[in-house]
C-alpha cells in the first residue's frame, strides 16, 4: 500500500515555513512600521494558503488529525476522521490520541510513537482504532512531526483497512481449511498459483494418476499427467480469465459441454491418454484476495465414466420422450405448485401465441394471474387440484400473448415425493376454442330460434309425425286463442278450427296431399278460413314445412286485415281508373260546350232582348251551364275539382247548408252537434258545400217518409294504424259525420255507391254522379271518407279533413261585369271550333287577336311578333308540343310574357305545375264572355 503520509508532507512543510515567515514579518513590523503594507499582503497570502490547505484536508477520504506532541491532545480533525470514529468534528477537538486506541493496545502504540517522536515520517499498518460505539476497526497510519515555536506537533493520516484485514484472515483460514480438506478428500484435486506453478497435488490425485506430489509441486508442466503434448488445462483458463469461446477454440471437440458458473468454468471432457480412456468431469475455480486479484486456481477431477454410460441411455430415452414432447399436437406442460411453468412444449407456446416455449416461460411468471381470464375458473382449478390431486377435462378461458382469448381443456395431476409433498404439476392442454365457438353458435342459434319463435309476428306450431302438437308460440295463441291444452292433437284442432264438416273435409284433403307429395323443407301455402276460440273467423295463410324426421312446422299468418286492405286497394284502383276516364270525358265535353257557349254569347250581343231568338239563346246558355255543372261533377269525382282552397270553419259551412236544406225538406228533422273550438280546414268552399248538399239529398232520398238527419263535428288525432288502409298520413283531422235513419244498404250496394252513374234510384230520380262527386272531391282535398250502413237502420258518412294551422278567411261578395280592351292577344288551341269562337269573343271585346292551332306555330309567330303581343291564352292539352312545353319555350324567348292557361280540366296536377312556374292566370272551359273579359283585363292591368 502506498504511504499516505507522503502525499501530505509538502503541505505540512509549507505550514511550518509560513509560520516562520509570519514570525519574521511580525518582528519586522514592530521595528519597521513602513512594512505594514507588506505584512497585510503576507497575511492575505497566508489566509489563502490556509484556505487551500483546509480544503485539501477536508476533501481527503483519509482521516486526518493534528495533535500536540506534549499533551497528546487533538487540535484539528477532518470530516473523514470524525466519520471513521463515528463522532462529530467538534467531539474530536481536545481528545487524547490514546482514547482512539484500545487500552490494551496503547502501550505498544505509544512505544512506536515515542520512537518516532523526533525521527520524522513514520508508518504503521493494521493499527487497531477504537470507535465511539466501542467497536474496533483497523487502519494504516502515517504521521510526521512539525515543530512550531520550539514545540512539537504531529499530523496523522488514518486509512480504514478493516475489510482487507478480515479478508486476509479469512483467506488464511480458508487456505488452511482447504488444504486440510483437500488432503483428506477422496476426490482428486490440484491447484496452481498465478504463475501456473503447482501448489497442491492431493493424495487422491496421487492414487488416481500414479504421480507423487513431491514430483509435481513447484513445477508448471503438470500437463504431462493428462496429455502427450503440451496444452492448457481448465484451471489455466480460469486463472487466465479466458472466455467460453476460447475454451471452445483451445479444446475443440474434446469438450462436449462447458459453462460459466460464478466465475468458474465447468466442463466434461474425454481423455483417452489417462488410465485407458475414461470420462472425467473437470471443475475449476479461482481464489482471489480482498482486492479481487487472482491468487491461485484449483481444479477438481471426477470420474463419471459409469454416469456417462447411464446418461447415454437416459439421453436416448429422453430423445424419444423429447420427440413426442416437441412434436405433440396437444399441449404438454409442467408447473410448480406456486404457479410457474417448469417446461412446456411448442404446442403449448403456439397455442398461447408465443414464438417458442422459452418466450412463454420467460414472459409468464405467474400462471394463476396472467393466463386466466376468469378468476373464478382459476380458483375452481386450484380447489379441485388441492382436493383431488387431479382434474379431468377442465375448461377455462385463457389469454394469448396478444391479449386475445382462447378456450382450453386440461387434464392435470400432481406429482408427489415419497412423503406426499407436491413436487410439481404435469398435464396436457387442448385448444377447444373452435369447439366452444361452435357450442356458442349452437346456443346462439337455439336462443335466436327461441327469440324468433317467441317474438315472431307469425304463428308457429310444431307437430310430430303422430299428429300431436309439441309446441305453439305466443303469436299462434294470439291468432286463434287456443293453447296446447285446447288442441293436444291435429284431430282436435281440425274439429275446432273448421266446424263445418264439408269445409273441414276439404282442408284435410289438402293437408294430406301436401304431406304425401311435399319434399323436405318445401313450402306449400294454403289459405283457409279458421274459426278461433272466441268464435270469430279469420282468413289465415297456412305454410306447412315437412322436416326430415317426419315432424311438421306449421307457420300461420293472419291475413284477414290484408285481405280487407286488398279489397280496399282494388276498390281504390277501380275508382282511380274510372276517375281518369271520367276526367277525360269531362275535358272533351267542356271543349264542346265551349264552342256552343261562345257562339251563344256572341249571338246574344247582336240581339236585343225583344228579339224572338234572344230567349232561345238564353235557354241555350242555361243548358250549357247545366252541362258544365255535370262535367264539374265528373271532374270532382276525378279528383280535379280543388281550385279555390282557403282555410274555413266547417261548422259555419254546415250551419249554412243544413239550414238552407232544412227549409226545403220540412219532413226531415236535423240535429247538429259542433266541436266548440273546431280546427280550421283548407278546402274549396263551393266544392265542400256541394259535398254536404249531395249527402243531405242522399239521406233525404233514403228516408222517403221522413226521419232524422244528425250532423256532428270533432277535432281528432288519428294514428297510423287507422289511416293506413286509406293511404293517408297520421295526424290532426277534423271529422264530420252525417247520419240518417233511412233504409240503409247491404254490403254489395255499399261497395259500388261511389262509382259514377251507379244508382239505386228510379229512372229520372238521379244521374248516379252525386256520391261519385263526393268521393272525388274529398280525395282531391287529401281527405278520406268512411261509410257504415246497416239495412233498415240507416247510414253514416264520415268525412276526414286535415286540420290547418292557418286562420279562417272570410269571403267577400263581388258583382261581375264585362270588361273591354285594345291590346293584342295570341290564342293557342288545338280545337278549331274553340279557337275560332274564342278569337271572335276577344275581338268583339275590342282586342286584336292572332289564332294558332299548336305549340310550334305559337313559338314561330311569337318570335316574329313578340314585341306586339301583350298576352297569350294557352291551351294545356295539345298534340305535339304540350301546353307545358310551349309555356317553357315562350318563356325562354321572353321571361316577362303574360300567359293565361286554359283547359277543360280543373286547376290541379299538370295545370298547377304550370301555374307554379309563373303562369299569370287559369280559366276553365267552358267560360263565358264575362269570365274571359275579366281574366284578360286583370292580367293586362296587373
Amino acid at each position: 500500500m502506498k504511504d499516505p503520509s507522503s502525499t501530505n508532507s509538502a503541505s505540512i512543510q509549507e505550514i511550518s515555513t509560513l509560520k516562520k515567515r509570519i514570525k519574521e514579518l511580525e518582528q519586522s513590523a514592530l521595528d519597521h512600521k513602513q512594512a505594514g503594507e507588506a505584512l497585510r499582503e503576507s497575511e492575505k497570502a497566508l489566509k489563502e494558503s490556509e484556505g487551500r490547505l483546509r480544503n485539501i484536508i477536508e476533501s481527503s477520504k483519509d482521516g486526518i488529525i493534528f495533535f500536540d506532541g506534549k499533551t497528546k491532545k487533538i487540535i484539528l480533525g477532518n470530516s473523514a476522521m470524525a466519520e471513521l470514529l463515528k463522532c462529530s468534528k467538534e467531539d474530536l477537538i481536545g481528545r487524547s490520541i490514546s482514547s482512539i486506541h484500545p487500552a490494551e493496545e496503547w502501550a505498544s502504540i505509544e512505544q512506536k510513537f515515542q520512537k518516532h517522536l523526533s525521527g520524522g515520517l513514520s508508518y504503521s499498518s493494521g493499527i487497531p482504532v477504537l470507535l465511539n460505539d466501542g467497536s474496533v476497526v483497523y487502519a494504516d497510519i502515517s504521521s510526521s512531526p512539525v515543530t512550531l515555536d520550539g514545540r512539537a506537533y504531529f499530523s496523522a493520516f488514518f486509512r480504514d483497512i478493516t475489510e482487507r484485514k478480515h479478508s486476509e484472515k479469512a483467506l488464511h483460514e480458508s487456505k488452511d481449511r482447504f488444504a486440510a480438506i483437500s488432503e483428506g478428500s477422496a476426490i482428486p484435486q490440484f491447484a496452481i498459483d498465478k504463475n501456473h506453478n503447482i501448489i497442491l497435488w492431493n493424495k487422491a490425485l496421487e492414487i488416481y494418476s500414479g504421480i507423487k506430489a513431491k514430483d509435481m509441486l513447484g513445477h508448471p508442466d503438470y500437463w504431462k499427467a493428462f496429455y502427450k503434448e503440451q496444452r492448457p488445462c481448465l484451471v489455466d483458463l480460469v486463472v487466465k480469465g479466458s472466455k467460453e469461446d476460447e475454451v471452445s477454440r483451445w479444446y475443440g471437440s474434446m469438450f462436449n459441454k462447458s459453462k460459466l458458473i460464478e466465475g468458474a468454468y465447468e466442463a466434461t471432457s474425454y481423455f483417452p491418454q489417462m488410465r485407458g480412456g475414461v470420462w472425467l468431469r473437470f471443475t475449476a475455480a479461482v481464489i482471489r484476495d480482498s482486492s479481487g486479484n487472482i491468487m491461485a486456481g484449483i481444479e477438481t477431477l471426477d470420474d463419471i465414466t459409469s454416469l456417462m454410460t447411464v446418461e447415454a441411455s437416459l439421453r436416448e430415452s429422453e430423445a424419444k420422450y423429447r420427440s413426442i414432447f416437441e412434436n405433440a399436437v396437444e399441449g404438454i406442460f409442467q408447473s410448480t405448485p406456486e404457479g410457474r411453468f417448469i417446461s412446456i412444449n411448442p404446442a403449448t407456446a403456439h397455442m398461447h401465441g408465443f414464438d417458442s416455449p422459452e418466450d412463454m416461460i420467460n414472459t409468464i411468471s405467474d400462471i394463476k394471474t396472467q393466463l386466466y381470464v376468469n378468476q373464478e375458473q382459476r380458483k375452481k382449478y386450484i380447489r379441485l387440484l388441492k382436493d383431488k390431486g387431479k382434474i379431468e377435462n377442465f375448461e377455462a378461458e385463457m389469454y394469448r400473448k396478444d391479449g386475445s382469448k382462447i378456450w382450453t381443456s386440461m387434464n392435470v395431476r400432481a406429482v408427489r415425493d415419497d412423503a406426499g409433498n407436491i413436487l410439481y404439476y404435469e398435464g396436457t392442454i387442448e385448444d377447444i376454442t373452435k369447439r366452444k365457438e361452435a357450442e356458442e353458435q349452437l346456443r346462439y342459434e337455439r336462443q335466436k330460434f327461441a327469440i324468433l319463435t317467441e317474438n315472431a309476428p307469425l304463428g308457429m306450431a310444431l307437430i310430430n309425425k303422430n299428429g300431436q302438437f309439441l309446441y305453439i308460440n305466443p303469436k299462434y295463441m294470439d291468432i286463434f286463442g287456443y293453447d296446447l291444452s285446447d288442441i293436444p292433437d291435429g284431430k282436435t284442432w281440425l274439429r275446432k278450427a273448421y266446424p263445418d264438416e264439408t269445409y273441414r273435409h276439404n282442408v284435410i284433403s289438402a293437408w294430406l296431399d301436401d304431406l304425401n307429395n311435399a319434399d323436405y323443407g318445401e313450402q306449400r301455402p294454403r289459405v283457409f278460413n279458421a274459426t278461433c276460440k272466441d268464435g270469430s273467423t279469420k282468413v289465415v295463410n297456412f305454410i306447412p314445412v315437412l322436416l326430415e324426421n317426419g315432424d311438421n312446422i306449421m307457420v300461420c299468418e293472419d291475413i284477414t286485415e290484408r285481405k280487407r286492405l286488398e279489397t280496399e286497394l282494388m276498390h281504390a284502383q277501380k275508382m282511380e281508373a274510372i276517375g281518369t276516364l271520367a276526367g277525360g270525358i269531362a275535358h272533351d265535353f267542356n271543349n264542346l260546350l265551349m264552342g256552343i257557349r261562345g257562339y251563344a254569347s256572341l249571338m246574344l250581343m247582336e240581339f236585343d232582348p225583344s228579339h224572338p231568338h234572344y230567349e232561345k239563346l238564353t235557354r241555350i246558355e242555361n243548358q250549357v251551364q247545366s252541362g258544365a255543372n255535370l262535367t264539374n261533377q265528373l271532374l270532382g269525382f276525378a279528383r280535379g275539382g280543388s281550385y279555390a282552397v282557403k282555410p274555413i270553419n266547417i261548422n259555419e259551412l254546415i250551419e249554412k247548408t243544413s239550414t238552407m236544406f232544412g227549409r226545403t225538406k220540412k219532413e226531415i228533422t236535423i240535429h247538429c252537434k259542433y266541436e266548440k273550438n273546431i280546427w280550421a280546414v283548407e278546402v274549396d268552399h263551393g266544392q265542400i258545400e256541394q259535398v254536404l248538399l249531395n249527402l243531405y239529398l242522399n239521406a233525404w232520398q233514403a228516408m222517403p217518409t221522413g226521419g232524422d238527419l244528425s250532423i256532428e263535428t270533432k277535432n281528432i288525432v288519428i294514428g297510423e294504424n287507422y289511416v293506413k288502409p286509406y293511404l293517408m298520413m297520421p295526424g290532426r283531422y277534423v271529422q264530420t259525420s252525417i247520419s240518417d235513419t233511412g233504409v240503409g244498404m247491404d254490403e254489395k250496394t255499399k261497395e259500388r255507391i261511389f262509382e259514377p252513374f251507379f244508382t239505386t234510384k228510379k229512372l229520372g230520380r238521379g244521374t248516379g254522379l252525386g256520391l261519385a262527386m263526393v268521393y272525388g272531391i274529398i280525395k282531391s282535398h287529401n281527405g278520406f271518407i268512411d261509410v257504415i250502413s246497416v239495412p233498415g237502420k240507416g247510414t253514416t258518412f264520415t268525412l276526414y279533413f286535415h286540420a290547418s294551422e292557418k286562420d279562417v278567411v272570410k269571403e267577400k261578395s263581388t258583382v261581375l261585369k264585362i270588361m273591354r280592351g285594345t291590346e293584342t292577344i295570341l290564342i293557342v288551341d288545338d280545337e278549331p271550333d274553340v279557337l275560332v269562337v274564342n278569337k271572335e269573343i276577344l275581338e268583339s271585346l275590342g282586342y286584336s287577336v292572332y289564332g294558332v292551332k299548336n305549340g310550334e306555330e305559337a313559338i314561330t309567330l311569337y318570335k316574329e311578333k313578340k314585341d306586339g303581343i301583350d298576352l297569350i291564352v294557352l291551351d294545356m292539352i295539345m298534340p305535339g308540343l304540350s301546353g307545358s312545353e310551349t309555356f317553357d319555350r315562350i318563356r325562354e324567348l321572353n321571361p316577362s310574357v303574360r300567359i293565361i292557361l286554359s283547359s277543360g280540366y280543373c286547376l290541379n296536377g299538370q295545370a298547377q305545375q304550370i301555374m307554379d312556374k309563373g303562369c299569370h292566370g287559369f280559366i276553365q272551359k267552358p267560360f263565358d264572355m264575362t269570365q274571359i273579359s275579366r281574366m284578360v283585363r286583370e292580367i293586362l292591368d296587373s
Side-chain angles (χ1 to χ4, degrees):
M1 178 181 293
K2 184 178 180 181
D3 186 352
S5 64
S6 62
T7 60
N8 298 290
S9 59
S11 299
I12 297 171
Q13 188 62 39
E14 183 182 11
I15 293 171
S16 177
T17 303
L18 287 171
K19 289 187 177 292
K20 289 179 181 180
R21 178 62 177 159
I22 291 169
K23 289 293 184 180
E24 293 173 359
L25 289 172
E26 288 176 349
Q27 184 63 39
S28 178
L30 293 173
D31 298 335
H32 305 283
K33 292 183 179 180
Q34 296 83 358
E37 186 66 32
L39 178 61
R40 283 191 294 272
E41 290 295 328
S42 297
E43 287 178 346
K44 181 180 179 182
L46 178 61
K47 288 180 180 180
E48 291 176 352
S49 177
E50 286 181 345
R52 285 194 301 273
L53 181 59
R54 287 183 182 278
N55 288 337
I56 292 171
I57 292 171
E58 191 61 33
S59 62
S60 174
K61 293 183 179 180
D62 293 330
I64 301 174
I65 59 173
F66 289 92
F67 61 92
D68 189 325
K70 183 177 180 180
T71 64
K72 300 182 181 60
K73 299 290 185 180
I74 298 172
I75 61 175
L76 178 65
N78 69 346
S79 298
M81 190 63 185
E83 185 178 351
L84 175 65
L85 296 179
K86 296 185 178 179
C87 67
S88 66
K89 288 173 62 178
E90 291 76 12
D91 292 338
L92 282 173
I93 308 304
R95 290 182 61 172
S96 171
I97 60 171
S98 63
S99 67
I100 65 174
H101 297 286
E104 64 272 15
E105 300 287 342
W106 173 242
S108 61
I109 294 172
E110 185 178 22
Q111 186 178 2
K112 292 180 182 180
F113 170 70
Q114 292 296 339
K115 182 179 179 181
H116 298 289
L117 186 62
S118 59
L121 185 67
S122 65
Y123 174 77
S124 298
S125 177
I127 301 300
V129 177
L130 181 64
L131 307 186
N132 268 19
D133 62 2
S135 60
V136 176
V137 298
Y138 293 88
D140 285 346
I141 304 175
S142 63
S143 63
S144 61
V146 178
T147 303
L148 297 174
D149 299 329
R151 191 165 183 169
Y153 294 90
F154 287 85
S155 64
F157 294 81
F158 291 74
R159 177 165 293 175
D160 188 354
I161 61 166
T162 305
E163 186 176 348
R164 190 187 77 192
K165 290 286 288 185
H166 289 164
S167 297
E168 288 173 351
K169 181 180 179 182
L171 179 61
H172 288 301
E173 291 175 352
S174 178
K175 283 182 178 179
D176 295 341
R177 196 162 51 246
F178 178 74
I181 293 172
S182 179
E183 283 302 312
S185 174
I187 300 174
Q189 292 177 327
F190 71 94
I192 63 173
D193 61 17
K194 59 185 178 181
N195 296 318
H196 290 219
N197 293 316
I198 294 245
I199 58 174
L200 171 68
W201 191 273
N202 75 346
K203 293 290 185 182
L205 187 55
E206 282 185 344
I207 296 170
Y208 197 85
S209 65
I211 302 173
K212 298 297 182 180
K214 63 183 179 62
D215 297 327
M216 298 300 295
L217 294 175
H219 296 286
D221 52 354
Y222 51 86
W223 56 270
K224 293 179 180 179
F226 304 102
Y227 314 113
K228 290 182 178 180
E229 59 185 43
Q230 185 173 3
R231 59 195 302 190
C233 286
L234 188 61
V235 71
D236 295 302
L237 304 179
V238 172
V239 171
K240 187 177 180 181
S242 302
K243 302 298 181 185
E244 286 191 56
D245 58 347
E246 294 184 68
V247 175
S248 177
R249 176 166 53 82
W250 287 355
Y251 280 83
S253 61
M254 294 293 288
F255 282 88
N256 54 46
K257 64 177 181 178
S258 64
K259 59 182 177 179
L260 184 65
I261 304 177
E262 298 178 355
Y265 284 99
E266 179 184 277
T268 302
S269 180
Y270 176 62
F271 294 98
Q273 292 83 7
M274 189 170 184
R275 295 188 62 190
V278 293
W279 286 98
L280 298 176
R281 178 185 291 121
F282 291 76
T283 306
V286 295
I287 302 173
R288 301 177 186 272
D289 62 15
S290 61
S291 300
N293 300 313
I294 295 176
M295 299 177 64
I298 184 167
E299 186 162 338
T300 301
L301 288 72
D302 185 14
D303 186 347
I304 58 170
T305 305
S306 59
L307 177 62
M308 291 299 290
T309 303
V310 173
E311 284 185 354
S313 299
L314 183 60
R315 281 195 299 273
E316 182 179 354
S317 175
E318 186 178 348
K320 294 177 182 177
Y321 166 76
R322 179 58 56 182
S323 177
I324 296 172
F325 182 80
E326 293 292 329
N327 298 297
V329 175
E330 192 175 46
I332 304 172
F333 68 92
Q334 291 179 325
S335 66
T336 66
E338 294 76 26
R340 288 185 298 102
F341 280 121
I342 299 172
S343 66
I344 59 174
N345 69 340
T348 303
H350 298 158
M351 185 186 305
H352 289 87
F354 292 88
D355 296 330
S356 65
E358 294 75 19
D359 184 19
M360 184 172 177
I361 291 174
N362 294 334
T363 302
I364 299 176
S365 59
D366 190 342
I367 301 170
K368 298 175 183 177
T369 59
Q370 289 180 263
L371 272 187
Y372 283 88
V373 173
N374 188 314
Q375 293 304 304
E376 291 301 320
Q377 291 175 344
R378 175 184 70 81
K379 292 176 183 177
K380 183 180 179 181
Y381 170 84
I382 295 172
R383 186 174 65 253
L384 288 173
L385 274 180
K386 182 179 179 181
D387 295 344
K388 298 183 178 181
K390 66 176 182 177
I391 55 173
E392 295 179 350
N393 301 319
F394 182 82
E395 295 182 359
E397 193 175 14
M398 292 184 169
Y399 287 112
R400 302 181 83 246
K401 184 178 181 181
D402 60 4
S404 59
K405 301 172 185 177
I406 57 170
W407 275 96
T408 60
S409 176
M410 291 180 286
N411 294 289
V412 186
R413 72 181 185 93
V415 179
R416 304 177 185 270
D417 60 16
D418 295 337
N421 301 312
I422 297 176
L423 298 175
Y424 57 87
Y425 294 116
E426 65 179 9
T428 60
I429 183 169
E430 180 185 1
D431 184 352
I432 60 169
T433 306
K434 291 184 178 179
R435 192 191 82 193
K436 293 293 286 186
E437 288 175 351
E439 290 175 354
E440 179 63 20
Q441 184 64 27
L442 180 59
R443 187 194 66 78
Y444 170 73
E445 291 297 331
R446 286 176 176 171
Q447 182 183 28
K448 183 171 67 173
F449 176 76
I451 293 173
L452 287 174
T453 55
E454 291 295 308
N455 299 280
L458 303 176
M460 295 183 182
L462 178 62
I463 308 167
N464 68 12
K465 57 186 176 182
N466 298 320
Q468 295 174 319
F469 278 77
L470 304 179
Y471 167 79
I472 57 176
N473 74 339
K475 187 62 179 179
Y476 188 96
M477 291 185 283
D478 181 56
I479 293 173
F480 300 107
Y482 300 117
D483 57 26
L484 281 176
S485 62
D486 298 318
I487 47 171
D489 51 51
K491 289 182 179 179
T492 307
W493 158 255
L494 290 168
R495 188 175 63 254
K496 290 186 175 184
Y498 313 108
D500 182 81
E501 185 176 357
T502 303
Y503 192 78
R504 182 166 64 249
H505 288 165
N506 292 335
V507 173
I508 294 173
S509 177
W511 177 276
L512 293 175
D513 181 63
D514 290 338
L515 286 177
N516 295 329
N517 299 303
D519 294 329
Y520 298 131
E522 181 184 356
Q523 297 181 2
R524 291 197 172 189
R526 299 275 188 172
V527 177
F528 298 117
N529 295 328
T531 301
C532 302
K533 188 174 182 177
D534 62 3
S536 63
T537 301
K538 292 183 178 179
V539 182
V540 181
N541 184 23
F542 292 91
I543 308 171
V545 180
L546 183 64
L547 304 180
E548 290 187 9
N549 66 351
D551 292 349
N552 198 294
I553 293 179
M554 178 64 71
V555 179
C556 307
E557 180 185 11
D558 181 0
I559 60 172
T560 308
E561 182 65 15
R562 185 203 301 175
K563 284 292 186 182
R564 188 184 71 80
L565 293 177
E566 287 177 355
T567 302
E568 290 280 349
L569 180 61
M570 289 176 63
H571 176 72
Q573 290 173 340
K574 179 176 70 174
M575 298 301 290
E576 190 73 26
I578 294 173
T580 302
L581 176 62
I585 294 172
H587 170 267
D588 292 344
F589 193 55
N590 276 339
N591 276 327
L592 292 174
L593 293 176
M594 182 68 240
I596 299 171
R597 189 170 198 174
Y599 285 121
S601 296
L602 288 171
M603 293 173 68
L604 280 171
M605 290 181 66
E606 296 177 359
F607 296 135
D608 186 85
S610 60
H611 193 280
H613 297 315
Y614 189 86
E615 185 179 352
K616 296 176 182 177
L617 290 172
T618 301
R619 289 181 179 179
I620 291 173
E621 273 204 325
N622 291 336
Q623 291 297 314
V624 169
Q625 184 60 48
S626 297
N629 291 337
L630 180 61
T631 57
N632 279 336
Q633 290 188 38
L634 286 173
L635 288 172
F637 170 77
R639 301 183 64 181
S642 58
Y643 46 82
V645 174
K646 297 176 183 178
I648 70 165
N649 185 318
I650 196 72
N651 288 347
E652 295 178 358
L653 184 58
I654 292 172
E655 181 67 23
K656 173 185 172 183
T657 54
S658 62
T659 300
M660 179 179 65
F661 181 74
R663 291 195 189 106
T664 60
K665 308 297 181 185
K666 300 292 185 179
E667 69 274 24
I668 302 297
T669 303
I670 300 176
H671 309 276
C672 293
K673 184 180 180 181
Y674 304 122
E675 180 88 32
K676 288 184 179 179
N677 298 312
I678 197 72
W679 294 329
V681 292
E682 293 187 58
V683 296
D684 180 277
H685 187 283
Q687 285 190 333
I688 301 306
E689 184 178 89
Q690 188 66 40
V691 166
L692 294 173
L693 290 173
N694 271 306
L695 291 175
Y696 300 159
L697 185 61
N698 191 76
W700 169 72
Q701 291 173 342
M703 300 183 290
T705 60
D708 294 321
L709 176 64
S710 300
I711 307 170
E712 183 179 2
T713 60
K714 283 183 181 180
N715 295 329
I716 62 170
V717 178
I718 301 178
E720 183 177 357
N721 291 336
Y722 189 84
V723 298
K724 193 173 182 180
Y726 303 99
L727 305 178
M728 303 300 292
M729 296 296 293
R732 300 194 319 151
Y733 284 81
V734 172
Q735 174 185 290
T736 301
S737 300
I738 301 172
S739 304
D740 64 55
T741 56
V743 295
M745 296 177 285
D746 57 25
E747 284 298 319
K748 290 184 178 180
T749 302
K750 192 174 72 171
E751 288 177 2
R752 299 191 60 191
I753 58 174
F754 295 123
E755 294 181 12
F757 310 114
F758 173 79
T759 180
T760 59
K761 303 177 180 68
K762 296 180 181 180
L763 187 63
R765 292 290 302 273
T767 62
L769 287 173
L771 290 179
M773 180 196 70
V774 168
Y775 179 88
I777 291 174
I778 297 301
K779 287 290 185 180
S780 69
H781 283 80
N782 292 320
F784 62 97
I785 185 170
D786 193 16
V787 183
I788 299 175
S789 185
V790 179
K793 293 185 178 182
T795 302
T796 298
F797 288 88
T798 305
L799 315 178
Y800 296 89
F801 300 100
H802 281 286
S804 174
E805 301 291 341
K806 297 179 181 180
D807 296 330
V808 174
V809 176
K810 300 295 183 180
E811 293 187 355
K812 297 179 181 180
S813 59
T814 57
V815 179
L816 301 180
K817 63 179 180 178
I818 294 176
M819 304 178 72
R820 301 176 181 273
T822 59
E823 290 87 349
T824 301
I825 299 174
L826 170 62
I827 298 177
V828 186
D829 201 305
D830 66 310
E831 292 289 340
D833 290 338
V834 174
L835 178 62
V836 172
V837 73
N838 284 342
K839 184 173 182 296
E840 291 184 13
I841 288 174
L842 290 172
E843 286 176 342
S844 69
L845 294 173
Y847 298 101
S848 298
V849 182
Y850 295 107
V852 295
K853 61 180 180 297
N854 55 54
E856 290 85 350
E857 292 182 6
I859 293 167
T860 301
L861 180 64
Y862 192 75
K863 285 180 180 179
E864 296 176 2
K865 303 181 180 295
K866 67 177 181 179
D867 294 335
I869 295 176
D870 300 297
L871 177 69
I872 299 174
V873 179
L874 177 63
D875 188 20
M876 185 178 74
I877 305 299
M878 295 186 296
L881 280 181
S882 67
S884 179
E885 292 172 315
T886 305
F887 175 84
D888 293 338
R889 296 278 293 277
I890 291 176
R891 284 287 296 272
E892 289 176 2
L893 298 174
N894 181 8
S896 61
V897 61
R898 294 183 175 92
I899 300 176
I900 296 174
L901 187 65
S902 174
S903 176
Y905 288 110
C906 296
L907 180 58
N908 64 357
Q910 186 178 358
Q912 187 60 57
Q913 292 176 8
I914 298 173
M915 292 298 296
D916 293 340
K917 291 180 181 179
C919 189
H920 292 77
F922 174 82
I923 189 166
Q924 185 180 2
K925 303 174 187 176
F927 48 80
D928 60 18
M929 187 176 291
T930 301
Q931 291 171 325
I932 189 62
S933 71
R934 294 186 59 82
M935 174 67 72
V936 168
R937 198 69 259 157
E938 181 181 343
I939 300 302
L940 288 174
D941 293 340
S942 63

